[in-house]
Amino acid sequence: MSKTILITGATSGFGKAIAEKFASEGWNCIITGRRKERLETLAKSLAEKNKVKILPLVFDVRNKTAVFEQLTNLPTEWQYIDVLVNNAGLALGRDNFDQANLDDWETMIDTNIKGLLYVSKAIVPYFTKNKKGHIINIGSTAAKDVYPMGNVYCATKHAVDSISQSQRIELLPHHIKVTAIHPGAAETEFSEVRFKGDKVKSTAVYTGYDALQANDIADVTYYCATLPPHVCINDLVITCTAQANSFFTHKN
Ligand code: NDP
Ligand code: 8X3
């Protein structure tokens, strides 16, 4: 029987690459995001290319009502989910604490923390009913270090780290695996979003070294998701070879 994965934030970057990887391995995918057209185009191409089933769901993870409406009433054939990837997230701005924008802070908190909680809370009942499941939370090296002008983004990713640890403890009786994957800088649309469309600033982030690519994270996610039932990778920090942590990247 084919397995099923639900990936939030599949319209670009890690989420899209994860959907492509799992679909190519024969998994059915529930893919989510706000950009309807991108999501539907991806759904069509994944289904055609891989002969798997794809369910695209358009919603904003910040919208509690929409999350629960969409995810708690899944069609019966989609209710056996093997893996949830909480990937949807963003950084907005790189400003010192005194300069940073309150709306940016609220968006990051609402998306990266509250969105992840809403989606997890909506999906865990399927896992407890099925007596198995796997939550994979996408954290960041920003979950492990706090860097200058990272203030609230780092805080939201520290929260992802902390929530992952709590989920792992509290969902133990239900045979639910919890893996936190913490990537370093990776070349996706992340910096374009962070710098609000400023291509000069966003391109500079990935210049002078071989940055991680989205498919590197997809491959690692696939490895974590396909280990034997008694094996769980709990916490994984992954950077490109040129990066040691949030502070040290060797640029040419
Ligand atoms: P992208 O900007 O390429 O992708 C972000 C995805 O999240 C998009 O599909 C976007 O979809 C979705 N998303 C954002 N906000 C919302 C929302 N409110 N509701 C629903 N979906 C949303 O960036 P990445 O792929 O790089 O980022 C994915 C995750 O990885 C994020 O959590 C990020 O913090 C984390 N990360 C990124 C790193 C990097 O350097 N790239 C490193 C470490 C972690 P849409 O806009 O269609 O809603
Ligand atoms: C994204 C990587 O270095 O901007 O989480 O925090 S970084």
Side-chain angles (χ1 to χ4, degrees):
M1 204 177 93
S2 293
K3 293 195 163 194
T4 299
I5 184 167
L6 189 161
I7 307 145
T8 66
T11 53
S12 70
F14 298 161
K16 183 166 183 262
I18 292 168
E20 286 167 346
K21 172 69 182 170
F22 280 76
S24 76
E25 299 287 348
W27 288 54
N28 296 324
C29 303
I30 304 173
I31 54 175
T32 86
R34 291 167 300 177
R35 287 170 288 182
K36 186 170 188 280
E37 205 179 311
R38 277 196 188 203
L39 203 65
E40 287 176 350
T41 306
L42 178 66
K44 197 162 173 280
S45 88
L46 292 179
E48 279 172 10
K49 199 166 156 201
N50 305 289
K51 308 280 177 265
V52 293
K53 291 183 191 152
I54 308 291
L55 178 64
L57 298 176
V58 180
F59 62 87
D60 187 324
V61 296
R62 291 171 296 173
N63 183 334
K64 183 163 56 175
T65 309
V67 169
F68 284 90
E69 264 174 19
Q70 295 270 354
L71 297 181
T72 57
N73 296 306
L74 288 172
T76 317
E77 59 171 314
W78 286 100
Q79 291 194 2
Y80 200 98
I81 297 168
D82 296 279
V83 177
L84 159 67
V85 183
N86 277 313
N87 165 73
L90 79 174
L92 284 175
R94 264 200 87 153
D95 306 291
N96 280 321
F97 192 91
D98 55 325
Q99 305 278 318
N101 179 301
L102 266 181
D103 291 337
D104 287 350
W105 282 359
E106 283 176 345
T107 304
M108 289 189 278
I109 291 167
D110 290 348
T111 310
N112 301 356
I113 306 179
K114 290 165 75 178
L116 179 146
L117 289 171
Y118 298 156
V119 173
S120 302
K121 202 82 171 100
I123 297 303
V124 161
Y126 297 119
F127 287 169
T128 53
K129 188 170 166 220
N130 299 334
K131 298 190 176 56
K132 71 189 278 251
H134 192 170
I135 301 172
I136 300 181
N137 292 325
I138 304 296
S140 168
T141 42
K144 303 293 184 183
D145 303 306
V146 174
Y147 55 78
M149 296 181 280
N151 43 65
V152 170
Y153 179 67
C154 295
T156 64
K157 291 300 181 177
H158 276 66
V160 172
D161 194 7
S162 162
I163 292 163
S164 303
Q165 293 180 49
S166 301
Q167 287 176 330
R168 194 172 303 121
I169 295 166
E170 294 165 24
L171 299 174
L172 268 183
H174 302 288
H175 314 285
I176 296 171
K177 297 186 189 187
V178 180
T179 300
I181 297 178
H182 300 287
E187 203 167 356
T188 63
E189 292 176 22
F190 176 84
S191 290
E192 236 181 287
V193 172
R194 174 172 235 172
F195 295 115
K196 303 175 183 175
D198 185 329
K199 294 251 190 216
V200 176
K201 279 189 182 168
S202 58
T203 308
V205 175
Y206 310 109
T207 304
Y209 67 108
D210 266 343
L212 281 179
Q213 301 297 317
N215 59 353
D216 298 320
I217 300 307
D219 288 346
V220 167
T221 305
Y222 186 75
Y223 178 76
C224 293
T226 51
L227 288 165
H230 68 289
V231 182
C232 179
I233 293 186
N234 292 339
D235 199 62
L236 189 70
V237 178
I238 167 170
T239 63
C240 69
T241 310
Q243 182 178 13
N245 56 28
S246 290
F247 304 101
F248 295 98
T249 300
H250 182 77
K251 293 199 178 196
N252 295 319

Short mmCIF file of all heavy atoms in Angstrom, two decimals, residues 167-227:
data_model
loop_
_atom_site.label_atom_id
_atom_site.label_comp_id
_atom_site.label_asym_id
_atom_site.label_seq_id
_atom_site.Cartn_x
_atom_site.Cartn_y
_atom_site.Cartn_z
N GLN A 167 6.74 17.46 22.08
CA GLN A 167 5.94 16.49 21.31
C GLN A 167 6.55 15.10 21.46
O GLN A 167 5.82 14.11 21.64
CB GLN A 167 5.90 16.88 19.82
CG GLN A 167 5.04 18.09 19.51
CD GLN A 167 5.12 18.49 18.04
OE1 GLN A 167 6.14 18.29 17.37
NE2 GLN A 167 4.05 19.08 17.53
N ARG A 168 7.88 15.02 21.40
CA ARG A 168 8.54 13.72 21.46
C ARG A 168 8.25 13.03 22.79
O ARG A 168 7.97 11.84 22.84
CB ARG A 168 10.06 13.91 21.27
CG ARG A 168 10.79 12.62 20.97
CD ARG A 168 12.24 12.90 20.59
NE ARG A 168 12.35 13.79 19.47
CZ ARG A 168 12.98 14.97 19.49
NH1 ARG A 168 13.56 15.41 20.60
NH2 ARG A 168 13.03 15.72 18.42
N ILE A 169 8.27 13.80 23.87
CA ILE A 169 8.00 13.23 25.19
C ILE A 169 6.52 12.87 25.33
O ILE A 169 6.17 11.75 25.71
CB ILE A 169 8.38 14.24 26.30
CG1 ILE A 169 9.89 14.51 26.29
CG2 ILE A 169 7.93 13.73 27.67
CD1 ILE A 169 10.28 15.75 27.11
N GLU A 170 5.66 13.81 24.98
CA GLU A 170 4.25 13.65 25.32
C GLU A 170 3.50 12.73 24.35
O GLU A 170 2.43 12.23 24.67
CB GLU A 170 3.59 15.04 25.40
CG GLU A 170 4.16 15.82 26.59
CD GLU A 170 3.86 17.31 26.55
OE1 GLU A 170 2.87 17.71 25.92
OE2 GLU A 170 4.63 18.07 27.18
N LEU A 171 4.07 12.49 23.18
CA LEU A 171 3.40 11.60 22.22
C LEU A 171 4.01 10.19 22.23
O LEU A 171 3.58 9.33 21.46
CB LEU A 171 3.44 12.21 20.81
CG LEU A 171 2.71 13.57 20.71
CD1 LEU A 171 2.91 14.19 19.34
CD2 LEU A 171 1.22 13.42 21.00
N LEU A 172 4.97 9.96 23.14
CA LEU A 172 5.60 8.63 23.25
C LEU A 172 4.58 7.50 23.37
O LEU A 172 4.70 6.49 22.68
CB LEU A 172 6.51 8.57 24.49
CG LEU A 172 7.99 8.92 24.38
CD1 LEU A 172 8.66 8.71 25.74
CD2 LEU A 172 8.69 8.11 23.31
N PRO A 173 3.55 7.65 24.23
CA PRO A 173 2.61 6.52 24.40
C PRO A 173 1.84 6.17 23.13
O PRO A 173 1.25 5.10 23.05
CB PRO A 173 1.64 7.03 25.48
CG PRO A 173 2.30 8.20 26.10
CD PRO A 173 3.22 8.78 25.09
N HIS A 174 1.85 7.09 22.15
CA HIS A 174 1.07 6.85 20.92
C HIS A 174 1.94 6.36 19.76
O HIS A 174 1.48 6.32 18.62
CB HIS A 174 0.35 8.14 20.52
CG HIS A 174 -0.56 8.64 21.60
ND1 HIS A 174 -1.74 8.04 21.93
CD2 HIS A 174 -0.41 9.69 22.45
CE1 HIS A 174 -2.30 8.69 22.93
NE2 HIS A 174 -1.51 9.70 23.26
N HIS A 175 3.19 6.03 20.06
CA HIS A 175 4.11 5.50 19.02
C HIS A 175 4.32 6.52 17.90
O HIS A 175 4.36 6.16 16.73
CB HIS A 175 3.58 4.18 18.44
CG HIS A 175 3.12 3.22 19.48
ND1 HIS A 175 3.99 2.51 20.27
CD2 HIS A 175 1.88 2.89 19.89
CE1 HIS A 175 3.31 1.78 21.12
NE2 HIS A 175 2.02 2.00 20.92
N ILE A 176 4.39 7.79 18.28
CA ILE A 176 4.59 8.83 17.27
C ILE A 176 6.05 9.29 17.32
O ILE A 176 6.55 9.69 18.37
CB ILE A 176 3.62 10.02 17.53
CG1 ILE A 176 2.17 9.56 17.36
CG2 ILE A 176 3.95 11.19 16.59
CD1 ILE A 176 1.14 10.58 17.78
N LYS A 177 6.70 9.19 16.18
CA LYS A 177 8.08 9.69 16.09
C LYS A 177 8.05 11.21 15.92
O LYS A 177 7.16 11.73 15.23
CB LYS A 177 8.78 9.11 14.86
CG LYS A 177 8.98 7.61 14.82
CD LYS A 177 9.83 7.27 13.58
CE LYS A 177 9.90 5.78 13.33
NZ LYS A 177 10.85 5.42 12.26
N VAL A 178 9.03 11.88 16.50
CA VAL A 178 9.17 13.32 16.26
C VAL A 178 10.63 13.62 15.91
O VAL A 178 11.54 13.33 16.69
CB VAL A 178 8.73 14.16 17.48
CG1 VAL A 178 8.91 15.66 17.19
CG2 VAL A 178 7.29 13.86 17.85
N THR A 179 10.81 14.17 14.73
CA THR A 179 12.15 14.52 14.25
C THR A 179 12.20 16.03 13.99
O THR A 179 11.30 16.56 13.35
CB THR A 179 12.44 13.80 12.90
OG1 THR A 179 12.38 12.39 13.11
CG2 THR A 179 13.81 14.17 12.36
N ALA A 180 13.22 16.68 14.51
CA ALA A 180 13.43 18.10 14.16
C ALA A 180 14.65 18.16 13.24
O ALA A 180 15.72 17.67 13.59
CB ALA A 180 13.65 18.94 15.40
N ILE A 181 14.44 18.74 12.06
CA ILE A 181 15.55 18.94 11.12
C ILE A 181 15.89 20.43 11.10
O ILE A 181 15.01 21.27 10.88
CB ILE A 181 15.16 18.45 9.70
CG1 ILE A 181 14.87 16.94 9.71
CG2 ILE A 181 16.26 18.79 8.69
CD1 ILE A 181 14.43 16.37 8.37
N HIS A 182 17.16 20.72 11.37
CA HIS A 182 17.60 22.12 11.51
C HIS A 182 18.60 22.47 10.41
O HIS A 182 19.81 22.26 10.57
CB HIS A 182 18.25 22.34 12.87
CG HIS A 182 17.33 22.04 14.02
ND1 HIS A 182 16.28 22.86 14.38
CD2 HIS A 182 17.30 20.99 14.88
CE1 HIS A 182 15.65 22.35 15.41
NE2 HIS A 182 16.24 21.22 15.74
N PRO A 183 18.13 23.01 9.28
CA PRO A 183 19.06 23.36 8.21
C PRO A 183 19.76 24.70 8.46
O PRO A 183 19.21 25.61 9.08
CB PRO A 183 18.17 23.48 6.97
CG PRO A 183 16.81 22.97 7.37
CD PRO A 183 16.73 23.17 8.86
N GLY A 184 20.96 24.80 7.89
CA GLY A 184 21.62 26.10 7.79
C GLY A 184 21.13 26.81 6.54
O GLY A 184 20.12 26.40 5.93
N ALA A 185 21.86 27.85 6.13
CA ALA A 185 21.42 28.67 4.99
C ALA A 185 21.25 27.80 3.74
O ALA A 185 22.16 27.07 3.36
CB ALA A 185 22.44 29.77 4.73
N ALA A 186 20.09 27.90 3.12
CA ALA A 186 19.80 27.10 1.93
C ALA A 186 19.18 28.02 0.88
O ALA A 186 18.36 28.89 1.20
CB ALA A 186 18.85 25.96 2.28
N GLU A 187 19.56 27.76 -0.37
CA GLU A 187 19.16 28.66 -1.47
C GLU A 187 17.73 28.34 -1.92
O GLU A 187 17.52 27.46 -2.76
CB GLU A 187 20.15 28.47 -2.62
CG GLU A 187 20.22 29.64 -3.52
CD GLU A 187 21.42 29.56 -4.45
OE1 GLU A 187 22.24 28.63 -4.33
OE2 GLU A 187 21.51 30.45 -5.30
N THR A 188 16.79 29.04 -1.34
CA THR A 188 15.36 28.89 -1.69
C THR A 188 14.82 30.31 -1.86
O THR A 188 15.59 31.25 -2.00
CB THR A 188 14.60 28.18 -0.55
OG1 THR A 188 14.67 29.03 0.60
CG2 THR A 188 15.20 26.81 -0.23
N GLU A 189 13.51 30.46 -1.75
CA GLU A 189 12.95 31.82 -1.80
C GLU A 189 13.00 32.51 -0.43
O GLU A 189 12.51 33.62 -0.24
CB GLU A 189 11.50 31.76 -2.31
CG GLU A 189 11.43 31.34 -3.77
CD GLU A 189 10.03 31.18 -4.31
OE1 GLU A 189 9.08 31.77 -3.73
OE2 GLU A 189 9.85 30.47 -5.30
N PHE A 190 13.57 31.79 0.56
CA PHE A 190 13.60 32.27 1.94
C PHE A 190 14.13 33.71 2.08
O PHE A 190 13.51 34.56 2.71
CB PHE A 190 14.47 31.30 2.77
CG PHE A 190 14.68 31.69 4.19
CD1 PHE A 190 13.74 31.38 5.16
CD2 PHE A 190 15.83 32.38 4.59
CE1 PHE A 190 13.95 31.74 6.50
CE2 PHE A 190 16.03 32.75 5.90
CZ PHE A 190 15.08 32.43 6.86
N SER A 191 15.29 33.98 1.46
CA SER A 191 15.90 35.31 1.63
C SER A 191 15.16 36.38 0.85
O SER A 191 15.10 37.55 1.27
CB SER A 191 17.39 35.29 1.26
OG SER A 191 18.09 34.54 2.22
N GLU A 192 14.57 35.98 -0.28
CA GLU A 192 13.76 36.94 -1.05
C GLU A 192 12.56 37.39 -0.21
O GLU A 192 12.18 38.56 -0.23
CB GLU A 192 13.26 36.24 -2.31
CG GLU A 192 13.64 36.96 -3.57
CD GLU A 192 13.11 36.24 -4.79
OE1 GLU A 192 13.67 35.17 -5.10
OE2 GLU A 192 12.13 36.74 -5.38
N VAL A 193 11.99 36.43 0.52
CA VAL A 193 10.86 36.77 1.41
C VAL A 193 11.38 37.63 2.56
O VAL A 193 10.80 38.66 2.89
CB VAL A 193 10.18 35.48 1.92
CG1 VAL A 193 9.14 35.80 2.99
CG2 VAL A 193 9.56 34.70 0.76
N ARG A 194 12.50 37.19 3.15
CA ARG A 194 13.04 37.91 4.31
C ARG A 194 13.34 39.36 3.96
O ARG A 194 13.03 40.27 4.72
CB ARG A 194 14.31 37.21 4.81
CG ARG A 194 15.00 37.98 5.90
CD ARG A 194 16.15 37.23 6.54
NE ARG A 194 15.94 37.16 7.96
CZ ARG A 194 16.65 36.46 8.80
NH1 ARG A 194 17.65 35.73 8.39
NH2 ARG A 194 16.40 36.48 10.09
N PHE A 195 13.95 39.57 2.77
CA PHE A 195 14.33 40.93 2.37
C PHE A 195 13.28 41.59 1.48
O PHE A 195 13.57 42.55 0.76
CB PHE A 195 15.72 40.92 1.72
CG PHE A 195 16.82 40.51 2.68
CD1 PHE A 195 17.54 39.34 2.48
CD2 PHE A 195 17.09 41.26 3.81
CE1 PHE A 195 18.54 38.95 3.37
CE2 PHE A 195 18.09 40.88 4.71
CZ PHE A 195 18.81 39.72 4.50
N LYS A 196 12.08 41.04 1.51
CA LYS A 196 10.90 41.65 0.89
C LYS A 196 11.13 41.99 -0.58
O LYS A 196 10.86 43.10 -1.03
CB LYS A 196 10.46 42.87 1.71
CG LYS A 196 10.18 42.45 3.15
CD LYS A 196 9.86 43.55 4.09
CE LYS A 196 9.68 42.97 5.49
NZ LYS A 196 9.48 43.90 6.55
N GLY A 197 11.71 41.03 -1.30
CA GLY A 197 11.88 41.17 -2.75
C GLY A 197 13.19 41.82 -3.18
O GLY A 197 13.44 41.94 -4.38
N ASP A 198 14.04 42.22 -2.22
CA ASP A 198 15.32 42.85 -2.58
C ASP A 198 16.29 41.77 -3.07
O ASP A 198 16.92 41.05 -2.27
CB ASP A 198 15.88 43.58 -1.34
CG ASP A 198 17.16 44.35 -1.66
OD1 ASP A 198 17.93 43.92 -2.55
OD2 ASP A 198 17.39 45.38 -1.01
N LYS A 199 16.43 41.68 -4.40
CA LYS A 199 17.23 40.60 -5.01
C LYS A 199 18.72 40.76 -4.70
O LYS A 199 19.44 39.76 -4.62
CB LYS A 199 17.04 40.60 -6.54
CG LYS A 199 15.64 40.25 -6.97
CD LYS A 199 15.60 38.88 -7.61
CE LYS A 199 14.24 38.66 -8.23
NZ LYS A 199 13.73 37.34 -8.17
N VAL A 200 19.19 41.99 -4.58
CA VAL A 200 20.62 42.20 -4.31
C VAL A 200 20.97 41.60 -2.95
O VAL A 200 21.91 40.81 -2.80
CB VAL A 200 20.99 43.71 -4.37
CG1 VAL A 200 22.44 43.93 -4.00
CG2 VAL A 200 20.69 44.25 -5.77
N LYS A 201 20.14 41.93 -1.95
CA LYS A 201 20.40 41.41 -0.60
C LYS A 201 20.21 39.90 -0.54
O LYS A 201 20.98 39.19 0.10
CB LYS A 201 19.43 42.06 0.40
CG LYS A 201 19.86 43.44 0.85
CD LYS A 201 18.97 43.89 1.99
CE LYS A 201 19.31 45.28 2.43
NZ LYS A 201 18.30 45.85 3.33
N SER A 202 19.17 39.41 -1.21
CA SER A 202 18.88 37.97 -1.09
C SER A 202 19.93 37.14 -1.84
O SER A 202 20.36 36.09 -1.35
CB SER A 202 17.46 37.63 -1.54
OG SER A 202 17.25 38.02 -2.86
N THR A 203 20.40 37.62 -2.99
CA THR A 203 21.41 36.87 -3.73
C THR A 203 22.73 36.85 -2.95
O THR A 203 23.44 35.83 -2.93
CB THR A 203 21.64 37.51 -5.13
OG1 THR A 203 20.37 37.63 -5.76
CG2 THR A 203 22.54 36.66 -6.01
N ALA A 204 23.04 37.95 -2.28
CA ALA A 204 24.32 38.05 -1.54
C ALA A 204 24.42 36.98 -0.45
O ALA A 204 25.53 36.52 -0.14
CB ALA A 204 24.44 39.44 -0.92
N VAL A 205 23.29 36.56 0.09
CA VAL A 205 23.31 35.55 1.17
C VAL A 205 23.97 34.25 0.69
O VAL A 205 24.65 33.57 1.46
CB VAL A 205 21.87 35.25 1.65
CG1 VAL A 205 21.84 34.12 2.68
CG2 VAL A 205 21.22 36.52 2.23
N TYR A 206 23.80 33.93 -0.59
CA TYR A 206 24.27 32.63 -1.10
C TYR A 206 25.47 32.76 -2.03
O TYR A 206 25.79 31.83 -2.75
CB TYR A 206 23.11 31.92 -1.82
CG TYR A 206 21.85 31.89 -0.98
CD1 TYR A 206 20.74 32.66 -1.30
CD2 TYR A 206 21.81 31.12 0.18
CE1 TYR A 206 19.62 32.66 -0.51
CE2 TYR A 206 20.68 31.11 0.99
CZ TYR A 206 19.58 31.89 0.63
OH TYR A 206 18.48 31.89 1.44
N THR A 207 26.12 33.92 -2.01
CA THR A 207 27.26 34.15 -2.91
C THR A 207 28.58 33.81 -2.20
O THR A 207 28.74 34.10 -1.01
CB THR A 207 27.28 35.63 -3.37
OG1 THR A 207 26.02 35.91 -3.96
CG2 THR A 207 28.36 35.89 -4.41
N GLY A 208 29.49 33.17 -2.96
CA GLY A 208 30.84 32.93 -2.44
C GLY A 208 31.02 31.58 -1.79
O GLY A 208 32.08 31.29 -1.22
N TYR A 209 30.02 30.74 -1.84
CA TYR A 209 30.15 29.38 -1.29
C TYR A 209 29.04 28.51 -1.88
O TYR A 209 28.10 29.03 -2.49
CB TYR A 209 30.09 29.40 0.24
CG TYR A 209 28.73 29.81 0.81
CD1 TYR A 209 27.90 28.87 1.40
CD2 TYR A 209 28.27 31.12 0.72
CE1 TYR A 209 26.66 29.24 1.91
CE2 TYR A 209 27.04 31.49 1.22
CZ TYR A 209 26.24 30.55 1.82
OH TYR A 209 25.02 30.91 2.30
N ASP A 210 29.19 27.21 -1.69
CA ASP A 210 28.18 26.27 -2.20
C ASP A 210 27.13 26.05 -1.13
O ASP A 210 27.32 25.22 -0.22
CB ASP A 210 28.86 24.92 -2.50
CG ASP A 210 29.27 24.82 -3.95
OD1 ASP A 210 28.77 25.62 -4.76
OD2 ASP A 210 30.10 23.94 -4.25
N ALA A 211 26.03 26.77 -1.25
CA ALA A 211 24.98 26.69 -0.21
C ALA A 211 24.20 25.39 -0.34
O ALA A 211 24.19 24.74 -1.39
CB ALA A 211 24.04 27.88 -0.36
N LEU A 212 23.54 25.01 0.74
CA LEU A 212 22.58 23.90 0.69
C LEU A 212 21.52 24.22 -0.33
O LEU A 212 21.15 25.39 -0.51
CB LEU A 212 21.87 23.75 2.04
CG LEU A 212 22.55 23.06 3.20
CD1 LEU A 212 21.59 23.09 4.39
CD2 LEU A 212 22.94 21.63 2.85
N GLN A 213 20.98 23.19 -0.96
CA GLN A 213 19.86 23.33 -1.89
C GLN A 213 18.65 22.61 -1.30
O GLN A 213 18.79 21.73 -0.44
CB GLN A 213 20.22 22.74 -3.26
CG GLN A 213 21.45 23.39 -3.90
CD GLN A 213 21.26 24.88 -4.21
OE1 GLN A 213 20.22 25.28 -4.71
NE2 GLN A 213 22.25 25.71 -3.90
N ALA A 214 17.49 22.96 -1.82
CA ALA A 214 16.26 22.37 -1.27
C ALA A 214 16.27 20.85 -1.37
O ALA A 214 15.80 20.15 -0.46
CB ALA A 214 15.05 22.94 -1.99
N ASN A 215 16.83 20.32 -2.47
CA ASN A 215 16.79 18.85 -2.60
C ASN A 215 17.71 18.15 -1.60
O ASN A 215 17.50 16.97 -1.29
CB ASN A 215 17.01 18.38 -4.05
CG ASN A 215 18.33 18.84 -4.60
OD1 ASN A 215 19.03 19.61 -3.96
ND2 ASN A 215 18.68 18.37 -5.77
N ASP A 216 18.72 18.85 -1.05
CA ASP A 216 19.54 18.25 0.02
C ASP A 216 18.65 17.97 1.23
O ASP A 216 18.75 16.92 1.88
CB ASP A 216 20.68 19.20 0.44
CG ASP A 216 21.64 19.49 -0.70
OD1 ASP A 216 21.96 18.57 -1.46
OD2 ASP A 216 22.07 20.66 -0.82
N ILE A 217 17.79 18.92 1.54
CA ILE A 217 16.90 18.76 2.71
C ILE A 217 15.83 17.70 2.42
O ILE A 217 15.46 16.91 3.29
CB ILE A 217 16.27 20.12 3.09
CG1 ILE A 217 17.37 21.14 3.43
CG2 ILE A 217 15.29 19.98 4.25
CD1 ILE A 217 18.38 20.70 4.48
N ALA A 218 15.39 17.66 1.16
CA ALA A 218 14.39 16.64 0.79
C ALA A 218 14.98 15.24 0.95
O ALA A 218 14.30 14.33 1.48
CB ALA A 218 13.93 16.87 -0.65
N ASP A 219 16.23 15.05 0.54
CA ASP A 219 16.86 13.73 0.66
C ASP A 219 16.99 13.32 2.13
O ASP A 219 16.73 12.17 2.49
CB ASP A 219 18.25 13.73 0.00
CG ASP A 219 18.17 13.80 -1.52
OD1 ASP A 219 17.08 13.57 -2.09
OD2 ASP A 219 19.21 14.09 -2.15
N VAL A 220 17.39 14.27 2.96
CA VAL A 220 17.56 13.97 4.39
C VAL A 220 16.20 13.67 5.03
O VAL A 220 16.06 12.75 5.86
CB VAL A 220 18.26 15.17 5.10
CG1 VAL A 220 18.17 15.05 6.61
CG2 VAL A 220 19.71 15.25 4.66
N THR A 221 15.20 14.43 4.63
CA THR A 221 13.84 14.19 5.17
C THR A 221 13.37 12.79 4.78
O THR A 221 12.80 12.06 5.60
CB THR A 221 12.86 15.25 4.61
OG1 THR A 221 13.39 16.54 4.90
CG2 THR A 221 11.48 15.12 5.22
N TYR A 222 13.64 12.41 3.54
CA TYR A 222 13.23 11.07 3.07
C TYR A 222 13.95 9.99 3.88
O TYR A 222 13.34 9.00 4.29
CB TYR A 222 13.52 10.92 1.57
CG TYR A 222 12.97 9.62 1.03
CD1 TYR A 222 11.60 9.46 0.81
CD2 TYR A 222 13.81 8.54 0.78
CE1 TYR A 222 11.09 8.25 0.35
CE2 TYR A 222 13.31 7.34 0.31
CZ TYR A 222 11.95 7.21 0.10
OH TYR A 222 11.44 6.00 -0.35
N TYR A 223 15.23 10.20 4.14
CA TYR A 223 16.00 9.22 4.94
C TYR A 223 15.37 9.08 6.33
O TYR A 223 15.12 7.96 6.80
CB TYR A 223 17.46 9.68 5.05
CG TYR A 223 18.31 8.76 5.90
CD1 TYR A 223 18.74 7.53 5.41
CD2 TYR A 223 18.64 9.11 7.22
CE1 TYR A 223 19.49 6.68 6.20
CE2 TYR A 223 19.39 8.25 8.01
CZ TYR A 223 19.81 7.04 7.51
OH TYR A 223 20.55 6.18 8.30
N CYS A 224 15.08 10.21 6.97
CA CYS A 224 14.50 10.17 8.32
C CYS A 224 13.14 9.46 8.32
O CYS A 224 12.79 8.76 9.27
CB CYS A 224 14.31 11.59 8.87
SG CYS A 224 15.84 12.46 9.19
N ALA A 225 12.37 9.66 7.25
CA ALA A 225 11.00 9.15 7.20
C ALA A 225 10.93 7.67 6.84
O ALA A 225 9.88 7.05 6.98
CB ALA A 225 10.19 9.95 6.18
N THR A 226 12.06 7.10 6.38
CA THR A 226 11.98 5.72 5.89
C THR A 226 12.86 4.77 6.71
O THR A 226 13.16 3.66 6.27
CB THR A 226 12.39 5.66 4.40
OG1 THR A 226 13.64 6.33 4.22
CG2 THR A 226 11.33 6.33 3.52
N LEU A 227 13.23 5.20 7.90
CA LEU A 227 13.97 4.31 8.79
C LEU A 227 13.01 3.26 9.37
O LEU A 227 11.79 3.45 9.34
CB LEU A 227 14.61 5.14 9.92
CG LEU A 227 15.79 6.00 9.45
CD1 LEU A 227 16.14 7.06 10.49
CD2 LEU A 227 17.00 5.12 9.17
#
